[in-house]
Amino acid sequence: MNNFEFYNPVKIIFGKDQLEKLATLIPVNKKVLMLYGGGSIFKNNVHASIKKALQNHTVLEFGGIEPNPHYETAIKAVDLIKKENIEFLLAVGGGSVIDATKFIAAAAFVEDKEPWEILNNHLPIKKALPLGTVLTLPATGSEMNSGGVITRIATHEKRAFGSPLVFPQFSVLMPEAAGTLPKRQVANGVVDAFVHVMEQYITFPAGAPLQDRFAEAVLHTLVEEGPKAFANPADYSAMSNLMWSATMALNGVIACGVPQDWTTHMIGHELTAFFGIDHARTLAIIAPPLYRHCLNDKQEKLAQYGERIWGVTGNTVQEKALAAIEKTEQFFHSLEIKTRLSEYTPKYEGTAEKIAERFTERGWVGMGERQSIKPTDVEKIVKASY
Ligand code: NZQ
Ligand code: ZN
């Protein structure tokens, strides 16, 4: 096992009828900005319940944060925060609202540079406003981690950032509110969480059996409960298990002491930036060809995954690894998620070259758990996804 540090200060409040606790979670003397997306929180009563809970607080609102949240929109919230001297941010919704809120919390203190530098050049985050979240969509794990992803529409760029200063102070996890999700978003949530685990697990054996079994526990639960939540988002039990699995998939626990490979995500972000494809779907497009391309490096873990999660059999490690990749694709298909780029856009030609070029420009020339995935490999992986 590799050396590691683990730190996660997020207080989790899970379940039904928890919103009234907001009244004490947020100090009453703090001026609050509640941030949300396109209006789902008005349909499932979450907005009204929060207003009631915070009736003794001063609460301003900022709505309209898009899926794959826009930098351009986040900057408008920063202006409002400065004008109104906001002291606490409350993100209400899915990963996009939470990510945008984390970015806004940090951007509010960037004075002499453009806040885009946080995303483009890893401008260090020295200060951030305190924030809390109310989660209505199980998927990203953003509610219990310190990262975020922001899209700049003007230049079709989607970039990630992170800092311990943007860990939420608390997150209220609401499986009941997720009962109003369209099936498409539930499928996205299952696949996003699934691939988060895979990015921390499908590498090479690192003598970390506990982390392997944590990862497999989350995968098993997603395989069992995900389809139930997909079939009926209002199934509280299934949605609860999906939500907690998605949180556990990316809160740092399964990453302790093991190699990671986030290449599927890095390529996937480009597909969203170019074509607006839902985040999880980009992962379903890229993960299978990436595993096939990196078979030599990843086959031992792929075979272990195949045996333990899907019960695959085979005469060789490689046979089991290939069967595991097929099972993964079938699982995505069972959630009505297509796995080829050409099924999402007719304009796929040239995408592989463009992504490889961007990675070269950014100096992303040695990705993967062995730093062996070069832009030329990225090009081949994306072409294999057409
Ligand atoms: O905007 P509203 O009206 O709220 O509607 C949203 C949105 O249209 C809707 N929704 C949310 N809760 C609902 C609901 N509709 C009905 N009932 C509810 N209870 O769902 C739509 C999608 O929401 P979004 O927040 O975009 O989805 P998700 O949670 O999948 O977040 C995706 C974003 O997170 C980033 C992705 O790149 C993408 O930008 N990620 C963040 C990560 C992190 N911070 O750790 C890791 C992930 O890998 C991911 O990259
Ligand atoms: Zn993801």
Side-chain angles (χ1 to χ4, degrees):
M1 202 187 313
N2 300 333
N3 292 351
F4 67 89
E5 286 185 15
F6 177 69
Y7 168 70
N8 194 314
V10 184
K11 176 172 183 159
I12 296 292
I13 300 123
F14 187 99
K16 294 181 182 174
D17 304 323
Q18 302 283 5
L19 285 177
E20 56 197 45
K21 293 183 181 161
L22 289 173
T24 47
L25 286 164
I26 305 174
V28 76
N29 59 342
K30 299 277 183 205
K31 196 171 181 186
V32 181
L33 183 65
M34 179 186 353
L35 301 104
Y36 50 86
S40 69
I41 66 162
F42 292 96
K43 292 186 197 135
N44 53 19
N45 213 31
V46 169
H47 181 269
S49 304
I50 293 176
K51 289 294 273 190
K52 190 166 168 233
L54 295 178
Q55 57 190 321
N56 294 324
H57 288 68
T58 306
V59 183
L60 276 67
E61 298 186 21
F62 184 90
I65 294 172
E66 311 80 2
N68 307 307
H70 299 178
Y71 174 74
E72 290 84 347
T73 305
I75 291 303
K76 289 184 190 151
V78 171
D79 292 342
L80 180 66
I81 285 165
K82 289 184 178 163
K83 186 166 151 243
E84 296 288 346
N85 297 317
I86 297 292
E87 298 165 284
F88 195 96
L89 305 181
L90 181 64
V92 188
S96 292
V97 173
I98 299 175
D99 282 8
T101 301
K102 289 173 175 175
F103 179 71
I104 291 161
F109 292 102
V110 176
E111 288 302 343
D112 47 351
K113 294 219 162 79
E114 208 202 344
W116 180 249
E117 293 299 299
I118 293 173
L119 298 147
N120 201 29
N121 284 319
H122 300 295
L123 179 71
I125 294 171
K126 297 199 181 117
K127 205 173 168 192
L129 280 169
L131 66 115
T133 90
V134 174
L135 181 75
T136 64
L137 194 177
T140 65
S142 189
E143 64 278 6
M144 201 178 173
N145 69 38
S146 58
V149 195
I150 301 292
T151 296
R152 191 168 197 165
I153 286 301
T155 51
H156 293 285
E157 285 173 280
K158 183 171 184 182
R159 304 296 299 271
F161 74 103
S163 160
L165 293 172
V166 299
F167 268 119
Q169 288 191 349
F170 62 81
S171 285
V172 182
L173 274 50
M174 296 190 66
E176 205 170 24
T180 57
L181 279 168
K183 285 179 76 171
R184 162 181 160 194
Q185 295 299 346
V186 180
N188 285 350
V190 176
V191 170
D192 193 19
F194 198 92
V195 179
H196 290 162
V197 177
M198 298 290 268
E199 304 274 51
Q200 301 162 86
Y201 171 72
I202 299 296
T203 55
F204 53 80
L210 181 62
Q211 282 85 326
D212 279 2
R213 291 195 164 91
F214 280 152
E216 288 151 8
V218 178
L219 294 175
H220 261 308
T221 312
L222 289 168
V223 169
E224 277 172 17
E225 302 291 320
K228 292 186 213 163
F230 176 66
N232 177 16
D235 175 341
Y236 182 80
S237 170
M239 189 58 83
S240 299
N241 286 301
L242 169 56
M243 193 170 262
W244 187 225
S245 299
T247 302
M248 291 304 292
L250 196 50
N251 66 0
V253 170
I254 60 178
C256 291
V258 297
Q260 303 179 49
D261 173 12
W262 287 91
T263 311
T264 298
H265 268 71
M266 293 302 116
I267 301 176
H269 288 165
E270 299 303 321
L271 297 183
T272 302
F274 285 130
F275 303 112
I277 302 169
D278 290 354
H279 169 64
R281 285 161 206 261
T282 67
L283 308 177
I285 294 167
I286 295 301
L290 184 137
Y291 300 151
R292 289 195 181 97
H293 185 84
C294 302
L295 196 62
N296 281 342
D297 283 347
K298 294 186 185 291
Q299 60 185 355
E300 278 182 70
K301 289 302 285 285
L302 278 165
Q304 175 182 315
Y305 152 74
E307 283 179 315
R308 293 188 186 177
I309 303 298
W310 301 112
V312 303
T313 51
N315 292 325
T316 63
V317 170
Q318 194 167 88
E319 264 179 41
K320 288 183 223 166
L322 288 168
I325 300 169
E326 258 176 52
K327 287 281 183 191
T328 311
E329 277 176 321
Q330 285 164 13
F331 181 55
F332 297 160
H333 293 157
S334 76
L335 298 165
E336 293 169 19
I337 291 205
K338 296 180 177 130
T339 50
R340 305 213 71 92
L341 183 58
S342 53
E343 293 175 295
Y344 293 88
T345 172
K347 297 185 187 153
Y348 55 86
E349 288 293 352
T351 307
E353 292 84 349
K354 275 198 279 185
I355 295 177
E357 200 178 300
R358 277 192 164 182
F359 282 19
T360 306
E361 277 165 20
R362 291 179 194 153
W364 297 359
V365 293
M367 300 176 73
E369 66 274 18
R370 297 177 204 265
Q371 293 79 48
S372 60
I373 304 179
K374 301 184 189 64
T376 45
D377 298 296
V378 169
E379 195 175 319
K380 285 182 193 144
I381 292 163
V382 178
K383 276 197 179 143
S385 82
Y386 289 176

